[in-house]
Amino acid sequence: MLTLLLATAVSLAGPPADAVPSPPTSAEVLEAASASDWHPVPAADLLILDVDGKRVTIELAPAFAPLAAANVRSLVAERYFDGLGIIRSQDNYVVQWADPQEGSPEARSLGSAAKKVPGEYTRPRAGLAFAPLASTDAYAPQVGFVDGFAVGSDGERAWLTHCYGAVGVARDVASDSGNGSSLYVVIGHAPRHLDANITVLGRVIEGMEVLSVIRRGSGAMGFFAEGEAPIPIRSARLASELPEAERPTWMRLRTDTPTFEALVRSKRERHETWFAHPVGAIGLCNVPLPRRQVAPASD
Amino acid sequence: MLTLLLATAVSLAGPPADAVPSPPTSAEVLEAASASDWHPVPAADLLILDVDGKRVTIELAPAFAPLAAANVRSLVAERYFDGLGIIRSQDNYVVQWADPQEGSPEARSLGSAAKKVPGEYTRPRAGLAFAPLASTDAYAPQVGFVDGFAVGSDGERAWLTHCYGAVGVARDVASDSGNGSSLYVVIGHAPRHLDANITVLGRVIEGMEVLSVIRRGSGAMGFFAEGEAPIPIRSARLASELPEAERPTWMRLRTDTPTFEALVRSKRERHETWFAHPVGAIGLCNVPLPRRQVAPASD
């Protein structure tokens, strides 16, 4: 038997006589969610990687990085990523894939994709359904959510944040030096100092545990050294490219609803018996942003 | 060649004519640190694990968890951990070791160690050399550093925070149900809602990359399911138990010095050419807390 669980929610024999009803737990909130609380992710925004035989799914965020998302779609169409590899794994930071020959005559062709894509570090906040999170944040004057993504804002501009699982466009010094052929994924504590300094184009919604356990590279900044083989990316496909029968359907929990507010509340105020005090606070990158895969309708 | 590096610091040909001198980088700050900026870690606070042949070193923080640290030292002396295993690996959360037989007649004996240890969730701030960090924090009214650890405080009380690498005492509901026989290590974005809700007794200062890549458990909360073998902990020793010739010596960068202030500044204001804007902010768990191993003096 294993009783020394961490953060277990334990149901005791019933509330004390003077108890007020506890607000619902996260699980209860999600169970009570209605169909309209969920929003389908467009198939063209689902990037499905085969990483050494395991599936990793990225949800692109074209509202924040339209040019980078479009270029990545072109690279996928060119099959640029098929056979590429993860060449960097830096503890508490990122994994990254790239063509190790990039810049040399042996480099893969980008085909019809652009070699230079202007940086999309921030965008106007106007036009976004920004749902604020009541929280203090070390890095951004305001934080909240847009279409299921964690966002920072100064009121005028908005940007995707580097929470766990964020996917960004590696670049050199020039702001247009990233084109999406090399992407990185945050696998540790959010490196929020990168926010608004680089293009974030989406986040991993399936298979983080495939990326996060990749052995760390022994070279500088976690790059694999001589003799450390890259982790192969066997293929990269958009869901929209797949035959309908094989196409996964993903839903994201809307972040502009009372259901989402209740979910945040359940994580902000911890009423499970385990908690010695109910916390009363939540950080941006600690808010769950649920996604779920649904079986295709059989009709 | 690989030019698409992320967050590379690139030296260009020289500053523009109107440039003011940039403050030193983190590397420059550490290079310029004097002997008095470093403080030795007591050998009795260094817990050295052999995890499947790889070394993991934990620095205990008896100033915050004297009872738990003492009980862990007793368990080490009893060789309780030798042959135990890591039985949980939950993505973006924790790895945890424990006796899977705990609570059953087949459970390992704790020997002379206590079965119940009062929780040490917070302690009085009085008596601590608290070096505040100028930062807003979602979880604590004040944040800062004590003896090289990241700390939260409300002015009266202080507590170790659940930054990456924090080591805590797994417990059940009762506050004295954790005794240090099962410990967890944070391997993802800081679960700060656990702060002041459980005893934190130290942090990993070497070998995080051993723990963070352990394959995730497929059971609930990342526990290994049937057929998923635990990762063996072959031995656990205090440095103070080892023969002097084998005893590692570790130094921690003091956090109450101008050198540390300069280190924080170098991470708060990013003057490297790569950064499109210099950030101007830093979160508690993004502050580096350097440790270094030194060769024993040959005399």
Side-chain angles (χ1 to χ4, degrees):
Chain A
M1 278 181 300
L2 183 75
T3 61
L4 288 174
L5 303 182
L6 168 67
T8 316
V10 176
S11 299
L12 293 184
D18 62 347
V20 291
S22 281
T25 64
S26 304
E28 288 165 351
V29 169
L30 289 175
E31 210 166 304
S34 65
S36 63
D37 287 317
W38 294 91
H39 189 84
V41 178
D45 292 346
L46 290 169
L47 174 58
I48 303 162
L49 306 180
D50 178 332
V51 176
D52 204 14
K54 303 182 194 91
R55 191 164 62 178
V56 173
T57 303
I58 292 168
E59 180 182 350
L60 300 174
F64 286 86
L67 302 176
N71 215 49
V72 165
R73 289 194 193 102
S74 294
L75 290 164
V76 170
E78 300 279 350
R79 302 296 179 241
Y80 175 85
F81 296 106
D82 293 20
L84 210 70
I86 294 170
I87 59 167
R88 178 187 188 187
S89 172
Q90 183 170 359
D91 199 57
N92 194 22
Y93 199 40
V94 297
V95 294
Q96 182 179 347
W97 49 93
D99 178 3
Q101 307 295 335
E102 191 274 325
S104 84
E106 290 77 42
R108 289 177 175 231
S109 166
L110 299 179
S112 65
K115 285 175 184 52
K116 296 187 175 199
V117 176
E120 300 167 293
Y121 305 163
T122 68
R123 57 151 283 163
R125 175 148 146 194
L128 296 176
F130 180 83
L133 175 69
S135 178
T136 53
D137 186 86
Y139 289 92
Q142 300 166 40
V143 288
F145 305 94
V146 173
D147 298 343
F149 287 90
V151 169
S153 176
D154 62 4
E156 295 293 313
R157 312 285 300 176
W159 52 87
L160 293 182
T161 55
H162 281 80
C163 294
Y164 191 82
V167 182
V169 177
R171 67 164 172 86
D172 211 322
V173 171
S175 67
D176 64 355
S177 57
N179 55 33
S181 61
S182 177
L183 299 173
Y184 63 90
V185 179
V186 173
I187 59 161
H189 188 81
R192 298 279 309 283
H193 54 283
L194 299 178
D195 288 4
N197 265 307
I198 194 165
T199 304
V200 178
L201 60 54
R203 75 180 184 100
V204 173
I205 59 170
E206 179 185 31
M208 267 309 294
E209 72 284 0
V210 175
L211 301 176
S212 59
V213 303
I214 291 172
R215 68 173 191 283
R216 307 313 181 209
S218 65
M221 303 195 301
F223 282 95
F224 292 146
E226 275 302 309
E228 293 175 335
I231 309 299
I233 296 177
R234 294 190 189 158
S235 69
R237 297 289 180 275
L238 294 167
S240 51
E241 293 181 296
L242 300 177
E244 211 162 330
E246 297 169 26
R247 197 179 294 172
T249 300
W250 282 86
M251 309 289 283
R252 62 171 173 78
L253 191 73
R254 288 174 56 188
T255 44
D256 57 350
T257 60
T259 292
F260 183 70
E261 283 171 27
L263 181 68
V264 171
R265 202 176 313 124
S266 74
K267 294 293 188 186
R268 184 195 299 275
E269 299 287 339
R270 302 283 188 143
H271 295 280
E272 298 94 333
T273 312
W274 185 89
F275 280 85
H277 75 99
V279 188
I282 192 159
L284 177 69
C285 293
N286 294 89
V287 174
L289 296 168
R291 301 289 191 272
R292 65 184 171 89
Q293 194 178 350
V294 291
S298 53
D299 55 354
Chain B
M1 278 182 301
L2 183 76
T3 61
L4 289 173
L5 303 182
L6 168 67
T8 316
V10 176
S11 297
L12 293 184
D18 61 347
V20 291
S22 281
T25 64
S26 304
E28 289 165 350
V29 169
L30 289 175
E31 208 167 305
S34 65
S36 63
D37 286 316
W38 294 92
H39 189 83
V41 178
D45 292 347
L46 290 170
L47 174 57
I48 303 162
L49 306 180
D50 178 331
V51 176
D52 205 15
K54 301 181 197 93
R55 192 163 63 177
V56 173
T57 302
I58 293 168
E59 179 182 351
L60 300 174
F64 286 86
L67 303 176
N71 216 49
V72 165
R73 289 195 193 102
S74 294
L75 290 164
V76 170
E78 300 279 349
R79 302 296 180 241
Y80 175 85
F81 296 105
D82 293 21
L84 210 69
I86 294 170
I87 59 168
R88 178 188 190 188
S89 173
Q90 182 171 359
D91 199 58
N92 194 21
Y93 199 39
V94 297
V95 295
Q96 183 179 346
W97 49 93
D99 179 1
Q101 307 294 336
E102 190 273 325
S104 84
E106 289 79 39
R108 288 177 175 229
S109 165
L110 300 179
S112 64
K115 285 178 183 50
K116 296 187 174 198
V117 176
E120 300 167 292
Y121 305 164
T122 67
R123 58 150 283 163
R125 173 148 147 194
L128 296 175
F130 180 83
L133 174 69
S135 178
T136 53
D137 186 86
Y139 289 92
Q142 300 166 40
V143 289
F145 305 94
V146 173
D147 297 344
F149 287 90
V151 169
S153 176
D154 61 5
E156 294 293 314
R157 312 285 299 175
W159 53 87
L160 294 182
T161 55
H162 280 80
C163 294
Y164 190 82
V167 182
V169 177
R171 67 163 172 87
D172 211 322
V173 171
S175 68
D176 64 355
S177 57
N179 56 33
S181 61
S182 177
L183 299 174
Y184 63 91
V185 179
V186 172
I187 59 161
H189 189 80
R192 297 280 309 281
H193 55 282
L194 299 178
D195 288 4
N197 265 307
I198 195 164
T199 304
V200 177
L201 60 54
R203 75 180 184 99
V204 173
I205 59 169
E206 178 184 32
M208 267 308 294
E209 72 284 0
V210 174
L211 302 176
S212 59
V213 302
I214 292 172
R215 67 172 192 282
R216 308 314 182 208
S218 66
M221 304 196 299
F223 282 97
F224 292 145
E226 275 304 309
E228 292 175 335
I231 309 299
I233 295 178
R234 294 190 188 159
S235 68
R237 296 290 181 275
L238 294 166
S240 51
E241 292 182 297
L242 300 177
E244 211 162 330
E246 297 169 27
R247 196 178 295 171
T249 301
W250 282 87
M251 308 289 282
R252 62 171 173 79
L253 191 73
R254 288 174 56 188
T255 45
D256 58 351
T257 59
T259 292
F260 184 69
E261 283 170 27
L263 182 68
V264 172
R265 202 176 312 124
S266 74
K267 293 294 188 186
R268 184 195 299 276
E269 298 288 339
R270 303 283 187 142
H271 294 281
E272 297 95 332
T273 312
W274 185 89
F275 281 85
H277 74 99
V279 188
I282 192 159
L284 178 69
C285 293
N286 294 89
V287 174
L289 296 169
R291 300 291 191 272
R292 66 184 170 91
Q293 194 178 351
V294 291
S298 53
D299 56 355

